């Protein structure tokens, strides 16, 4: 049963609708409720489910459902091209993602149907529910999808509700339009589900005339999952930012083909990232199959992220950070070209032109790249053939969220000058590349002019950054120490006073200690453990210290662990030293994505018992304490927070101690710690100022003695009272990867055997 069109609700608009008025493009937007019983499927007994994709399914049961269809259709029937495109809405984010407002769809006269077919789209994740029913109970409260097992047949029923043989006696979502062909599309996770639909369900139902799988990882999804909510972990660190290794580690590598006995056309359009995932399941083009792989692109682009962020702000009322240095080549024009060709194909016309695939070599196979680091072979969009930057699928950090976003490294002035000289020459070269793409069939002629406009903006953006750097008397950042463009984590105070040759160690023990039996994670205290943790997670780590020699052993340890790091000297008592250090960091590594302020000081420890009172404390020692605990973090924050705010993301963490909780009398042998109350206050102030800009600020109270070469050698020390620096580092990393919906702004770490301070 179909009901609608539905209107109203708390928000008074359909979730995920375009950011503009479709009426201005000659389209009607209408939303409908579809209710029925869906067939669930299982693998047929004694049949294979193998690599060839020739899968056999059978009916397993029935499941009642109520879902929605969001329809865009031409207002004038004369403009309708007789094709309805049905989208399997993506739910990986915990809410529905789809986009049916592209130039090919709106100018080509298609009808577009956004179909809610999965449980998460309606009911959301158990935590932070952003499903339709929770987003607007008035409009969507009646919707129900009990299991993803029903999704395959719901997708079939949507096709039949809008297709050429639909019932005409009741509500017609197509408003009488003469639909002759129905094409199913799905992207990313939805493409995986669509692959299973093509291989196992389509042979039974034959409701679609063709399929387009976008950014498809080469593996189908199960027919049966029961009530389970299928989700992926986006933020857990997985390893080095190597796309092939991360794909293998996450289980995203392709496992099956699209069956080769198809009766309808199937097309796959992949970015460079999915080309890596699908390398092991590549299959030749046929009269019913085409695969395009696009060089220099990634799963998600900067332009697509901006649209998604704008919709998120409108629908949820909150900002969604967009990575500044993520891949900047939009694959959406390639999708439009694919739809254009596929539509001709389903009517019996010529298939899409076959295209070269991305070049691989080696064992395991790796993408071959030119001198700029851009993939060789594949579909050549003009941004890859006339580049102003190295765009690739190589991520900025080693987690799934970064893996999907790739990276963009702008060329320096010298490279741009050598390639093009000036903007006019560049745009002429870009237009030549765009015309080649049109002739190859991978770019539609209508998209050349918008691409040229975008190219001019991108050229000016890169040149503007160069000019700004020159005006400030600095070279254009070349990130020579971080050529792969990894996210940068800066640890201020990366070494420890209690390391084997630290000042506290020498003061307490009168000698340098042997640390060969100390775990490498504990040899340089908290700062060293944090540096190792972020390096392990794929960050380029910058360790600051007053003397580079102090961190030489730590840098070597990170290198031996396969990480990437460098040491920068910085004196927190000197504003000039701080400014120079961060200028070098930005130039040679990049803007910090993470800043951990872990600096400490000794001042006061050597004073005897009779000089415990404030009146005996030397002013110069007090000034040093202020430099490290108050003025230093203020100056460091001024260096890193502007870029974090502009990028819409960043993490600024303070490593503090229990003396920051309130003012206390200084004990004999202790430093003057009450200035650390000011550090805590600064963390609280920055939280209020910068959270809304996507910057996570937190104060970490380390409430106890920290395991290190110097502390474990102290007399009468209890081993179970020493906090493991590696566990402290895990707490810091946990804060970094927290979801913005539930940020923690202060934590206190205390050994179980010790009473917490307050």
């Amino acid at each position: 049963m179909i009901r609608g069109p539905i209107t109203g609700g708390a928000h008074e608009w359909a979730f995920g609708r375009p950011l503009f008025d479709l009426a201005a493009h000659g389209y009607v937007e209408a939303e409908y409720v579809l209710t029925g019983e869906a067939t669930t499927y299982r693998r047929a007994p004694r049949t294979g489910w193998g690599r060839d994709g020739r899968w056999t399914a059978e009916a397993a049961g029935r499941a009642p459902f109520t879902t929605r269809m969001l329809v865009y259709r031409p207002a004038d029937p004369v403009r309708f091209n007789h094709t309805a495109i049905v989208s399997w809405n993506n739910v990986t984010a915990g809410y529905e993602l789809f986009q049916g407002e592209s130039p090919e769809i709106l100018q080509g006269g298609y009808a577009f149907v956004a179909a809610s077919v999965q449980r998460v789209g309606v009911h959301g994740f158990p935590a932070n529910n952003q499903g339709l029913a929770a987003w607007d109970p008035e409009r969507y409260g009646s919707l129900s999808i009990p299991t993803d097992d029903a999704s395959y047949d719901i997708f079939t029923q949507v096709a039949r509700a809008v297709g050429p043989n639909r019932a005409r006696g009741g509500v017609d979502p197509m408003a009488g339009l003469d639909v002759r062909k129905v094409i199913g599309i799905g992207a990313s996770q939805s493409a995986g589900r669509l692959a299973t639909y093509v291989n196992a369900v389509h042979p039974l139902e034959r409701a679609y005339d063709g399929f387009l799988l976008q950014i498809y990882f080469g593996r189908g999804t199960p027919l049966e999952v029961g009530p389970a909510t299928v989700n992926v972990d986006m933020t857990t660190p997985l390893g080095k930012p190597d796309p092939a290794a991360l794909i293998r580690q996450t289980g995203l590598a392709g496992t099956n083909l699209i069956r080769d006995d198809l009766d309808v056309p199937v097309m796959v359009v992949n970015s460079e990232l999915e080309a890596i995932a699908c390398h092991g399941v590549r299959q030749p083009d046929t009269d019913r199959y085409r695969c395009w792989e696009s060089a220099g692109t990634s799963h998600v682009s900067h332009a697509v992220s901006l649209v998604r962020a704008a919709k998120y702000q409108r629908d949820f009322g909150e900002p969604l950070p967009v990575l500044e240095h993520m891949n900047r080549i939009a694959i959406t024009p390639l999708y439009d070209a694919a739809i254009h060709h596929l539509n001709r194909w389903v009517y019996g016309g010529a298939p899409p032109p076959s295209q070269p695939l991305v070049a691989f070599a080696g064992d395991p196979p790796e993408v071959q790249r030119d001198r700029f680091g851009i993939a060789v072979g594949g579909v050549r969009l003009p941004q890859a053939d006339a580049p102003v930057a190295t765009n690739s699928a190589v991520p900025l950090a080693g987690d799934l969220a970064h893996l999907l976003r790739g990276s963009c490294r702008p060329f320096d002035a010298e490279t741009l000058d050598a390639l093009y000289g000036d903007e006019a020459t560049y745009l002429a070269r870009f237009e030549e590349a765009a015309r080649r793409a049109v002739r190859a069939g991978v770019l539609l002629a209508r998209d050349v002019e918008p691409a040229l406009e975008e190219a001019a903006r991108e050229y000016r953006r890169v040149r503007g950054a160069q000019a700004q750097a020159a005006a400030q008397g600095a070279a254009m950042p070349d990130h020579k120490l971080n050529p792969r463009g990894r996210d940068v984590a800066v640890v201020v105070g990366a070494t420890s006073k209690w390391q084997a040759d630290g000042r506290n160690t020498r003061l307490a023990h009168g000698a340098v200690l042997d640390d060969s039996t100390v775990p490498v994670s504990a040899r340089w205290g908290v700062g060293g453990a944090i540096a190792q943790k972020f390096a392990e997670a794929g960050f380029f780590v910058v360790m600051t210290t007053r003397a580079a020699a102090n961190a030489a052993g730590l840098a070597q340890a990170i290198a031996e662990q396969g990480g990437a790091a460098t040491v920068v000297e910085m004196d927190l008592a000197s504003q000039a030293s701080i400014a120079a250090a961060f200028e070098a960091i930005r130039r040679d590594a990049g803007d910090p994505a993470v800043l951990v302020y872990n600096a400490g000081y000794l001042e006061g420890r050597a004073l005897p018992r009779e000089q415990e009172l404030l009146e005996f404390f030397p002013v110069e020692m007090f000034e040093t304490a202020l430099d490290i605990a108050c003025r230093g973090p203020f100056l460091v924050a001024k260096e890193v927070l502007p870029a974090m705010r502009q990028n819409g993301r960043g993490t600024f963490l303070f490593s503090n101690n229990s003396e920051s909780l309130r003012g206390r009398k200084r004990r004999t042998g202790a430093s003057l710690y009450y200035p650390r109350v000011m550090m805590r206050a600064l963390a609280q102030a920055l939280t209020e100022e910068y959270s809304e800009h996507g910057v996570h600020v937190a104060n970490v109270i380390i409430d106890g003695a920290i395991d290190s070469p110097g502390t474990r050698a102290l007399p009468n020390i209890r081993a179970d009272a020493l906090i493991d620096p590696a566990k402290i580092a895990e707490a810091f990393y946990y804060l970094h990867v927290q979801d913005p919906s539930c940020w923690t702004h202060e934590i206190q770490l205390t050994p179980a055997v010790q009473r917490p301070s307050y």
Side-chain angles (χ1 to χ4, degrees):
M1 183 182 72
I2 301 173
R3 176 170 57 85
I6 61 171
T7 58
H11 294 281
E12 298 187 341
W13 68 79
F15 182 85
R17 68 165 307 277
L19 295 168
F20 53 83
D21 184 5
L22 283 170
H25 294 264
Y27 267 69
V28 172
E29 174 189 329
E31 191 170 32
Y32 299 86
V33 172
L34 175 65
T35 300
E37 277 198 343
T39 298
T40 61
Y41 298 96
R42 64 189 173 206
R43 188 175 73 181
R46 297 180 296 280
T47 62
W49 202 263
R51 184 179 184 276
D52 63 6
R54 292 192 175 195
W55 302 339
T56 304
E58 66 176 17
R62 304 284 289 174
F65 72 91
T66 301
T67 192
R68 66 131 183 192
M69 305 180 295
L70 179 59
V71 178
Y72 312 153
R73 60 177 186 258
D76 182 355
V78 175
R79 286 195 59 221
F80 181 50
N81 72 353
H82 306 292
T83 300
I85 295 175
V86 178
S87 165
W88 189 307
N89 293 351
N90 185 286
V91 299
T92 302
Y95 55 90
E96 292 198 327
L97 297 172
F98 56 91
Q99 191 169 6
E101 56 265 36
S102 73
E104 172 63 14
I105 290 175
L106 298 183
Q107 296 179 38
Y110 299 80
F112 178 84
V113 182
S116 301
V117 300
Q118 286 188 253
R119 176 175 171 77
V120 167
V122 171
H123 303 288
F125 292 143
N128 189 30
N129 187 347
Q130 295 177 303
L132 294 169
W135 181 74
D136 196 331
E138 292 180 36
R139 189 177 183 115
Y140 298 126
S142 67
L143 304 188
S144 174
I145 298 178
T147 171
D148 276 357
D149 297 2
S151 63
Y152 300 101
D153 194 48
I154 294 174
F155 196 64
T156 297
Q157 294 193 36
V158 171
R160 290 180 173 149
V162 301
N165 299 317
R166 66 190 185 276
R168 303 298 180 104
V171 175
D172 181 8
M174 294 291 102
L177 292 177
D178 179 17
V179 179
R180 300 176 187 174
K181 300 291 182 182
V182 182
I183 294 173
I185 68 171
S188 190
Q189 182 203 105
S190 298
R193 302 194 70 80
L194 203 53
T196 296
Y197 186 95
V198 170
N199 284 347
V201 179
H202 172 74
L204 301 176
E205 304 296 344
R206 304 191 189 282
Y208 287 87
D209 300 288
F211 298 93
L212 174 60
L213 282 61
Q214 301 166 329
I215 48 178
Y216 166 58
F217 282 102
R219 54 192 302 125
T221 53
L223 287 171
E224 296 179 287
V225 296
T229 296
V230 180
N231 188 21
V232 293
D233 184 349
M234 287 287 182
T235 58
T236 297
L238 301 169
K240 304 297 185 295
D242 177 286
L246 290 172
I247 284 170
R248 291 191 295 269
Q249 187 174 351
T250 53
L252 290 175
T255 56
N256 60 262
L257 307 177
I258 300 298
R259 62 187 307 151
D260 60 5
D261 58 348
L262 299 164
D263 64 336
V264 297
V266 175
M267 190 169 185
V268 175
V269 178
N270 277 344
S271 78
E272 180 184 312
L273 181 67
E274 301 79 43
I276 298 170
C278 289
H279 184 267
V281 290
R282 279 179 167 175
Q283 56 191 110
D285 287 353
T286 69
D287 61 351
R288 283 289 178 267
Y289 177 81
R290 281 292 184 276
C291 179
W292 287 357
E293 296 178 349
S294 176
T297 54
S298 195
H299 196 78
V300 183
S301 71
H302 188 265
V304 168
S305 294
L306 289 177
V307 173
R308 176 178 169 184
K311 287 186 176 183
Y312 193 92
Q313 179 74 55
R314 178 199 63 193
D315 291 342
F316 293 111
E318 298 176 0
L320 188 68
V322 176
L323 302 183
E324 180 68 16
H325 300 297
M326 68 185 292
N327 191 291
R328 283 180 172 261
I329 301 181
I331 199 173
T332 42
L334 189 61
Y335 293 159
D336 266 10
I339 291 171
H340 183 84
H341 291 301
L342 181 58
N343 187 54
R344 180 185 64 232
W345 201 7
V346 299
Y347 284 94
S354 292
Q355 301 295 331
L357 301 179
V358 171
F360 286 79
D363 185 17
E366 293 187 357
V367 174
Q368 297 301 287
R369 303 189 181 278
D370 63 18
R371 63 192 176 102
F372 301 116
I374 299 170
V376 174
V379 169
R380 311 299 295 184
L381 292 175
Q383 295 90 337
D385 256 6
V388 295
T390 299
N391 282 283
S392 74
V394 177
L396 296 168
D399 56 56
L400 187 54
H402 284 88
L403 175 65
L404 300 181
R405 287 160 174 79
S407 58
C408 173
R409 291 187 58 244
F411 293 163
D412 58 23
E414 182 180 358
T415 301
L416 279 187
D417 289 342
L419 285 173
Y420 311 113
D422 55 28
E423 181 178 336
T425 303
Y426 164 68
L427 292 177
R429 291 271 300 278
F430 186 93
E431 184 172 6
E432 290 173 5
R435 298 298 177 190
R436 285 196 300 272
V438 171
R439 291 193 295 272
V442 298
L443 187 69
L444 299 177
R446 74 162 73 94
D447 291 326
V448 171
E449 193 60 35
L452 277 167
E453 294 173 0
E454 188 272 336
R457 291 193 297 270
E458 185 68 359
Y459 182 90
R460 292 164 191 165
R461 182 184 74 87
V462 174
R463 286 295 197 189
Q466 295 167 351
Q468 182 179 12
Q472 295 172 349
M476 178 66 180
D478 60 9
H479 302 172
K480 62 184 180 183
L481 297 179
N482 184 21
R484 297 184 63 177
R486 304 182 186 197
D487 268 5
V488 176
V490 177
V491 182
V492 176
T495 55
S496 170
K497 299 180 296 295
W498 288 104
Q499 64 189 50
D501 58 353
R503 294 170 64 198
N504 272 5
T505 299
R506 292 195 300 267
L507 184 66
H509 302 289
V512 173
L513 301 181
D514 178 9
D515 63 2
S516 59
T517 61
V518 179
V520 69
S521 61
R523 291 180 188 173
W524 297 277
V526 172
I530 292 171
Q532 292 175 74
K533 178 64 179 178
F534 278 86
E536 177 190 8
F539 282 76
F540 183 86
V541 177
V542 179
M543 302 169 289
T544 79
T545 179
R546 282 188 295 181
N550 294 340
L554 174 58
Q556 181 179 349
I558 290 175
E560 291 172 352
Q561 295 164 16
T566 191
V567 181
V568 173
E569 292 187 348
M570 184 168 70
D571 181 0
L572 289 168
S574 167
Q575 183 177 358
S577 176
I578 294 172
F582 279 98
E583 180 183 346
I585 291 168
R586 288 187 291 266
R587 181 188 66 240
D588 297 338
D591 287 322
V594 177
L595 189 292
V596 177
Y597 191 89
N598 182 58
Y601 51 92
L602 282 173
E603 277 57 34
R605 288 180 183 263
L607 295 179
R609 181 179 299 276
E610 60 270 19
Q611 294 185 12
E612 280 187 348
L613 299 179
L614 178 144
E615 63 190 81
F616 299 110
F617 201 90
V619 173
E620 60 271 18
M621 287 188 179
F622 175 71
E623 289 176 344
T624 299
L626 288 181
D627 283 337
I628 306 304
C630 304
R631 189 168 179 268
F634 171 81
L635 294 173
V636 168
K638 287 177 68 66
E639 291 288 342
V640 301
L641 287 175
M644 289 182 177
R645 175 179 55 79
Q646 291 165 11
N647 293 336
R649 68 172 189 124
T651 303
F652 195 118
L653 305 176
F654 291 84
S655 176
N656 218 330
N657 62 24
S658 59
E659 301 294 328
S660 67
L661 294 171
R662 65 179 181 87
R664 288 185 173 87
K665 173 187 175 182
R666 187 185 68 82
R667 303 183 307 277
T668 300
S671 300
L672 183 71
Y673 273 140
Y674 60 74
R676 283 187 173 266
V677 175
M678 184 64 179
M679 186 191 295
R680 185 187 187 210
L682 177 61
Q684 293 167 339
L686 294 181
T687 293
E688 291 196 10
E689 291 181 11
Y690 284 89
S691 290
E692 65 183 271
H693 300 292
V695 182
H696 185 187
V697 182
N699 184 53
V700 181
I701 300 166
I702 302 174
D703 183 20
I706 300 161
D707 190 15
S708 61
T711 53
R712 63 168 50 192
L714 291 171
N716 303 319
I717 194 75
R718 288 183 58 179
D720 59 354
L722 292 175
I723 308 178
D724 183 350
K727 301 305 179 184
I728 296 174
E730 289 179 5
F732 275 81
Y733 193 79
Y734 161 74
L735 289 170
H736 169 63
V737 299
Q738 275 188 320
D739 188 89
S741 65
C742 56
W743 275 348
T744 299
H745 297 292
E746 183 165 270
I747 58 174
Q748 185 166 338
L749 308 175
T750 310
V753 299
Q754 176 182 308
R755 180 181 178 183
S757 303
Y758 60 91

